Amino acid sequence: MEVMTHASTFLLPPSPPSGSNGHPLTYALVVLNQRLPRFAPLLWSHARLRVCADGGANRIYDEMPRLFPDQDPLDVRNRYKPDVIKGDMDSIRDDVKEFYSNLEVKIVDEADDQDTTDLHKCVAFICDNRPTLDKSNLCILVAGALGGRFDHEVGNINVLYRFSNTRIVLLSDDCLIYLLPRTHSHEIFVLKSVEGPHCGLIPAGAPSASTTTTGLKWNLDDTAMSFGGLISTSNIALEEKITVLSDSDLLWTISIRHPNKKI
């Protein structure tokens, strides 16, 4: 079985990150309508394409200047200008829409599509943007994907399954989540300076009859997992390399460290 490797290098200052087969990953960023994580500028610096999902544009406009309190807010807004704003346009404020329109940001109104979420629309747009992105090593970072309404969180997680052939990382200030497809075995390289130790493996799509891991405090050994039964939550990443082999798609989640915060 082919091995898929994972590493949260987007939480470190930009440098050529490693993707599968040693090829660098190409990052795109989607900003949703939840509070920006404190490391949003870092994600921005990694991304080749930046897309705001509807009200996510409000978050960039309002909150990015707060991350640079010593700088002029207008200068910050001009510097952190999205490439595209896309969605059903029910959340973006008129003043924000006008501001970015004046900066010639592309605004795509898909109010006629009520069958998919704004995140789904943005991911589909990025995946179709082949002329400027290397899709073979594409990784989509989603800021503000967790927190707020639970149905929104579940909808965001559902996008991981609907685009299971694309690397997508859901991010909040406290943790990240991504899908481990059953079609691969997985090697997860934990960057202990910025993430962990708390982690989990969740069989959200379907029960797992057999999951085996290494590198965790409580490893799974040909273990069955399901809702209503055992799931691996509040586990601890002990090693820098975690391996996972499962007969089912699993969600991997790991905490993101806060500077000066005790574990």
Side-chain angles (χ1 to χ4, degrees):
M1 182 178 290
E2 186 177 356
V3 176
M4 181 180 290
T5 62
H6 311 265
S8 302
T9 48
F10 47 82
L11 295 175
L12 298 174
S15 61
S18 296
S20 59
N21 300 320
H23 298 302
L25 292 173
T26 300
Y27 289 107
L29 174 64
V30 176
V31 179
L32 300 183
N33 191 15
Q34 288 292 334
R35 183 171 64 88
L36 291 181
R38 64 194 182 282
F39 46 83
L42 188 59
L43 303 178
W44 195 279
S45 66
H46 281 287
R48 292 270 305 278
L49 179 67
R50 296 105 176 184
V51 182
C52 286
D54 199 355
N58 301 340
R59 300 289 176 165
I60 294 294
Y61 182 90
D62 293 337
E63 298 178 22
M64 195 67 88
R66 297 173 193 165
L67 299 176
F68 300 92
D70 297 329
Q71 299 183 27
D72 181 81
L74 182 59
D75 289 343
V76 175
R77 290 178 180 129
N78 285 327
R79 187 165 74 247
Y80 290 95
K81 178 185 71 170
D83 299 298
V84 179
I85 300 171
K86 188 176 178 68
D88 57 15
M89 300 298 138
D90 64 344
S91 300
I92 187 171
R93 299 198 310 267
D94 289 341
D95 63 310
V96 173
K97 188 175 182 180
E98 181 181 5
F99 177 82
Y100 289 123
S101 293
N102 290 336
L103 292 179
E104 298 184 343
V105 172
K106 182 177 182 179
I107 298 177
V108 182
D109 186 341
E110 291 197 346
D112 57 332
D113 177 8
Q114 294 298 312
D115 293 329
T116 61
T117 65
D118 285 338
L119 176 56
H120 183 118
K121 293 177 176 68
C122 290
V123 170
F125 173 82
I126 292 168
C127 289
D128 288 340
N129 195 18
R130 294 182 182 88
T132 58
L133 295 176
D134 180 1
K135 190 180 178 185
S136 64
N137 282 297
L138 175 64
C139 180
I140 301 174
L141 309 174
V142 185
L146 308 169
R149 280 172 43 188
F150 180 65
D151 60 330
H152 285 168
E153 290 184 310
V154 172
N156 295 337
I157 291 171
N158 188 50
V159 169
L160 300 182
Y161 287 85
R162 296 194 70 170
F163 293 87
S164 60
N165 292 325
T166 301
R167 292 176 185 260
I168 304 172
V169 184
L170 306 182
L171 292 143
S172 73
D173 228 21
D174 300 305
C175 70
L176 62 82
I177 298 174
Y178 52 79
L179 187 70
L180 303 180
R182 66 184 181 275
T183 52
H184 293 72
S185 62
H186 299 273
E187 294 180 347
I188 302 167
F189 293 91
V190 177
L191 304 179
K192 293 188 175 183
S193 64
V194 292
E195 62 182 342
H198 301 98
C199 61
L201 286 164
I202 315 297
S208 168
S210 174
T211 297
T212 299
T213 67
T214 66
L216 301 176
K217 184 173 183 178
W218 294 283
N219 277 311
L220 304 171
D221 183 10
D222 195 23
T223 303
M225 292 194 297
S226 66
F227 278 89
L230 173 71
I231 58 175
S232 179
T233 61
S234 298
N235 214 324
I236 301 291
L238 289 183
E239 306 295 334
E240 291 186 353
K241 183 173 81 170
I242 310 299
T243 68
V244 181
L245 178 64
S246 181
D247 66 339
S248 176
D249 296 341
L250 299 176
L251 295 174
W252 166 259
T253 183
I254 191 166
S255 58
I256 296 176
R257 291 179 181 269
H258 287 246
N260 304 319
K261 183 178 179 180
K262 292 183 179 179
I263 300 299

